[in-house]
Amino acid sequence: MESTIDAHGLIDGVDPADDPLRFSAKKISLEHWLVVWGHATSAQVDLAEREARRKRITLADSLRGLQFVDPRVVASYIAQRSGTEAADIRKLIVPPDVLALIPRELALRHLALPLRIEQDGSVVVALGNALDVTHGDAIEQHLRRPVRFVTSTEGDVRESISRHYIQAGLLENTVDEILSMDAATLAATSETDAPMVRLVDELLLHAISHGVSDIHIQPEERILRIRARKDGILNEGLLVPKEVQNALTARIKILGGMDITETRLPQAGRYNFDAGSRPVDFRFSSLPTSFGESLVLRLLDRSNLQLDLVSLGFDGQMQGQFLNLLNRPNGVILVTGPTGSGKTTTLYAALSKLPADKRSIFTLEDPVEFSLPLVRQTQVNEKIGLTFASGLRTLLRQDPDIILVGETRDQETAELMVRAALTGHLVLSTLHTNDALGAIPRLVDLGVPSYLLPACLLGVLSQRLVRLLCPACKEPHPNAEAILSNLPIPVPQDCPRELWKPGGCDRCNNSGYRGRVGIVEFLILDPDYHQVITESNDPTKLLKLAREKGFVPMFQDGLRKCTQGLTTLEEIYRVTTVA
């Protein structure tokens, strides 16, 4: 008999928190457990069950496809049901000797990844489906030693297997094979031949497994250079013979749905790559140069999308201020910074904090990078006349409450954005300026009358991304006190008087850095700014007023993160200057 939930959240008259054993995963089904503990509504579960029957898939797969429930919530249920521990293996690095305990083929067949060897000699193994005992039995039979199983999501296990078992040398081996070919063979190689297909596939897999954000195919006079950008830094790259340039370029353009016969005009394409059941999107861009077409491949990995403001670099106070603005019924909130500074991720994180089930949310993007549940997302297409301006004009007739405009790049878009804010809509957008204060003269330069800005502009967030120090190998800086004393601005009183420097270990590939975090500045406009904006719009007066009202410049936020051991002063100076 199905339990009933009343208006007070009681199940059969009982609060689940008062009797957790009764409603534990060992006692009830997945669908009932999700509803009882508030992970999904009954309507969502019913729809997911119908989709599961129609597509002949499991309920867990259906919930994941509909984006109703985080896969890690389902993994938590499976862990409780199977009596194992839930484990997050997304950033875990397994030593080679442990990885060698289970062959790649066996790991994929049973979705099992060895994690570590305990002191008593037992092996800890993550399973993607701990409820199927045949997987655990097969692993125990292979290892012939004590095994302790933990539970992770199927997608995380598949991704980790792909990441760990793809050796870094594979790409270099393929390049060595190409280098060993004679000139005639190289010249005859086409985009459909095995070396080109393998080179591109391994290039994409290498990027995914090593956290690369962009791949640059850079033609030079006598060679072709393949470079990768990781954590914001572009490496020197691999060198391949000039003779394979046309075949390699054609192969990439075919994958991206681009015209391989057109080499004189820039083109854009998109390709979905399946990396161990983890779909990863690539955006392709081609540009003619004097030595051939330059290609840039940008990786869009949904599984790495961080929608938590704290992990993006917001402290507690700034997060509270930002959320307060998001709760306003109308106005404009801008996020500024150069390309690759995380503006889109911040906007997605902002949308994830809004009640999409109660408010009408639309986006205009170029392109749509990640799909968000209950949000209607539109990709602009200037070739057919669907620009930010024309799309925004149409959206205003779609009864929106909140509108995200991917970029404010022209006068018409800026004016429509302001008009939408003045007529009762909350508008979020990005703008290319060097800092938060620069957004005000930039909007005026785009044609927005200065007297309208105080009435609609709520706040401007400016940000940059800096590399995070690897927590496993970072070291205290011996000259921290001397460096801090000679800085052009004083260190805040509540900051520790210490700095850190990069070390180098296996976890960070001896770079000393692993991951990135944002350094931010947040300008909140209130009536005190009205007179300065409407009368003079003087940057000096704006900065003076902002400092009086507690505005913290980006450099100072970065300095605080340096003293907390998150990054280094070299990283802060790399992306910004002292205000």
Side-chain angles (χ1 to χ4, degrees):
M1 180 177 177
E2 187 175 346
S3 299
T4 59
I5 304 176
D6 63 21
H8 302 287
L10 302 181
I11 294 88
D12 295 337
V14 179
D15 188 336
D18 294 337
D19 192 3
L21 291 178
R22 177 179 174 184
F23 302 104
S24 72
K26 292 185 176 181
K27 300 283 188 180
I28 57 179
S29 64
L30 171 60
E31 53 268 32
H32 194 183
W33 183 83
L34 290 171
V35 175
V36 164
W37 293 105
H39 298 302
T41 64
S42 297
Q44 288 175 326
V45 170
D46 289 342
L47 176 57
E49 287 180 325
R50 289 199 299 272
E51 282 292 288
R53 287 192 297 269
R54 184 177 68 85
K55 296 181 177 179
R56 297 182 180 180
I57 58 178
T58 65
L59 175 61
D61 288 339
S62 178
L63 289 164
R64 182 175 59 208
L66 293 169
Q67 298 185 10
F68 286 160
V69 177
D70 190 305
R72 286 160 194 86
V73 172
V74 178
S76 175
Y77 170 84
I78 293 174
Q80 293 179 39
R81 187 87 179 193
S82 61
T84 59
E85 175 189 345
D88 187 349
I89 63 173
R90 285 173 292 175
K91 296 184 179 180
L92 191 67
I93 296 179
V94 180
D97 59 327
V98 176
L99 202 64
L101 293 174
I102 300 178
R104 180 176 182 273
E105 293 73 17
L106 189 67
L108 281 174
R109 188 183 313 131
H110 298 289
L111 289 181
L113 179 72
L115 303 182
R116 62 182 179 273
I117 301 174
E118 302 283 39
Q119 290 184 349
D120 61 3
S122 62
V123 183
V124 179
V125 178
L127 289 178
N129 186 2
L131 293 179
D132 190 336
V133 295
T134 61
H135 297 313
D137 291 344
I139 296 302
E140 286 181 329
Q141 186 176 359
H142 171 77
L143 290 174
R144 297 187 181 278
R145 60 196 298 179
V147 181
R148 182 168 69 86
F149 292 109
V150 297
T151 294
S152 186
T153 70
E154 178 182 331
D156 285 351
V157 173
R158 286 189 184 276
E159 187 277 331
S160 292
I161 290 173
S162 298
R163 173 163 52 89
H164 282 95
Y165 286 93
I166 294 172
Q167 301 299 322
L170 280 181
L171 181 59
E172 285 81 356
N173 291 340
T174 302
V175 173
D176 289 342
E177 179 185 339
I178 292 173
L179 289 172
S180 66
M181 297 179 183
D182 57 59
T185 305
L186 286 173
T189 302
S190 72
E191 65 274 7
T192 58
D193 288 340
M196 282 304 103
V197 174
R198 192 164 64 252
L199 175 61
V200 173
D201 286 350
E202 289 174 3
L203 189 61
L204 301 185
L205 279 170
H206 181 84
I208 295 168
S209 61
H210 287 77
V212 170
S213 62
D214 300 88
I215 303 170
H216 289 239
I217 312 295
Q218 184 174 319
E220 298 182 12
E221 185 175 6
R222 292 184 176 86
I223 51 94
L224 184 67
R225 190 183 298 272
I226 302 175
R227 310 176 72 187
R229 185 184 297 277
K230 181 179 179 180
D231 294 338
I233 304 298
L234 198 61
N235 66 16
E236 293 183 3
L238 294 169
L239 303 181
V240 297
K242 184 74 171 178
E243 288 83 356
V244 303
Q245 177 176 325
N246 291 338
L248 179 60
T249 301
R251 176 64 185 167
I252 293 173
K253 291 173 76 172
I254 288 173
L255 293 180
M258 302 153 73
D259 185 357
I260 63 173
T261 64
E262 179 57 74
T263 60
R264 301 168 300 171
L265 295 173
Q267 294 187 62
R270 192 162 189 161
Y271 177 57
N272 183 269
F273 188 82
D274 189 3
S277 82
R278 184 181 99 187
V280 178
D281 288 337
F282 282 88
R283 277 168 40 193
F284 296 168
S285 173
S286 70
L287 178 70
T289 71
S290 55
F291 298 121
E293 287 184 280
S294 169
L295 292 167
V296 176
L297 288 59
R298 168 153 290 189
L299 188 152
L300 305 173
D301 189 351
R302 296 186 184 94
S303 66
N304 286 334
L305 181 63
Q306 294 283 347
L307 297 182
D308 176 46
L309 293 175
V310 173
S311 65
L312 295 177
F314 287 61
D315 60 28
Q317 179 182 0
M318 186 176 295
Q319 177 174 282
Q321 294 171 334
F322 191 55
L323 293 177
N324 284 338
L325 290 193
L326 290 175
N327 289 326
R328 298 280 287 272
N330 60 278
V332 174
I333 301 174
L334 294 175
V335 180
T336 77
T339 301
S341 60
K343 300 188 297 297
T344 301
T345 302
T346 298
L347 288 177
Y348 278 149
L351 289 184
S352 72
K353 305 300 179 186
L354 296 168
D357 56 335
K358 298 177 182 178
R359 304 181 76 178
S360 175
I361 303 178
F362 290 84
T363 73
L364 285 170
E365 305 174 61
D366 184 21
V368 175
E369 296 190 3
F370 302 99
S371 59
L372 298 170
L374 299 179
V375 177
R376 282 164 281 185
Q377 297 171 266
T378 300
Q379 180 165 319
V380 302
N381 187 343
E382 295 188 357
K383 291 181 180 178
I384 61 173
L386 180 55
T387 62
F388 282 115
S390 63
L392 183 53
R393 194 180 297 108
T394 302
L395 283 189
L396 293 176
R397 298 192 290 269
Q398 288 276 314
D399 187 31
D401 295 313
I402 301 165
I403 301 172
L404 186 152
V405 181
E407 184 181 347
T408 302
R409 60 174 65 154
D410 55 47
Q411 179 176 349
E412 188 177 9
T413 304
E415 291 176 346
L416 287 168
M417 178 179 68
V418 169
R419 187 188 307 170
L422 292 174
T423 53
H425 305 89
L426 181 66
V427 183
L428 288 74
S429 187
T430 69
L431 197 66
H432 284 281
T433 63
N434 289 327
D435 51 35
L437 288 164
I440 296 173
R442 174 62 179 149
L443 287 174
V444 173
D445 183 56
L446 283 172
V448 178
S450 59
Y451 63 85
L452 290 180
L453 289 178
C456 69
L457 189 58
L458 300 178
V460 184
L461 181 82
S462 186
Q463 64 184 61
R464 301 288 190 277
L465 291 177
V466 295
R467 291 184 292 172
L468 278 170
L469 281 167
C470 176
C473 62
K474 67 179 183 181
E475 304 170 356
H477 202 295
N479 301 319
E481 183 60 43
I483 294 172
L484 292 173
S485 300
N486 291 321
L487 287 175
I489 62 171
V491 180
Q493 294 291 331
D494 59 340
C495 289
R497 304 285 297 187
E498 56 185 1
L499 295 172
W500 302 78
K501 64 178 183 177
C505 65
D506 292 340
R507 294 191 176 187
C508 60
N509 291 323
N510 294 312
S511 68
Y513 296 94
R514 185 151 56 100
R516 288 192 290 178
V517 71
I519 57 171
V520 292
E521 60 184 27
F522 192 27
L523 176 68
I524 303 173
L525 282 86
D526 59 27
D528 293 339
Y529 287 91
H530 292 190
Q531 184 176 357
V532 177
I533 293 174
T534 54
E535 288 184 359
S536 64
N537 199 20
D538 186 337
T540 304
K541 293 182 179 179
L542 282 171
L543 179 60
K544 182 175 182 296
L545 178 59
R547 288 186 181 278
E548 292 172 355
K549 300 183 74 64
F551 173 71
V552 178
M554 193 184 307
F555 186 91
Q556 192 169 330
D557 180 61
L559 178 58
R560 184 182 298 275
K561 289 181 169 68
C562 288
T563 60
Q564 292 170 350
L566 296 177
T567 188
T568 62
L569 275 174
E570 289 80 7
E571 280 293 292
I572 305 303
Y573 278 113
R574 181 175 65 83
V575 299
T576 189
T577 56
V578 181

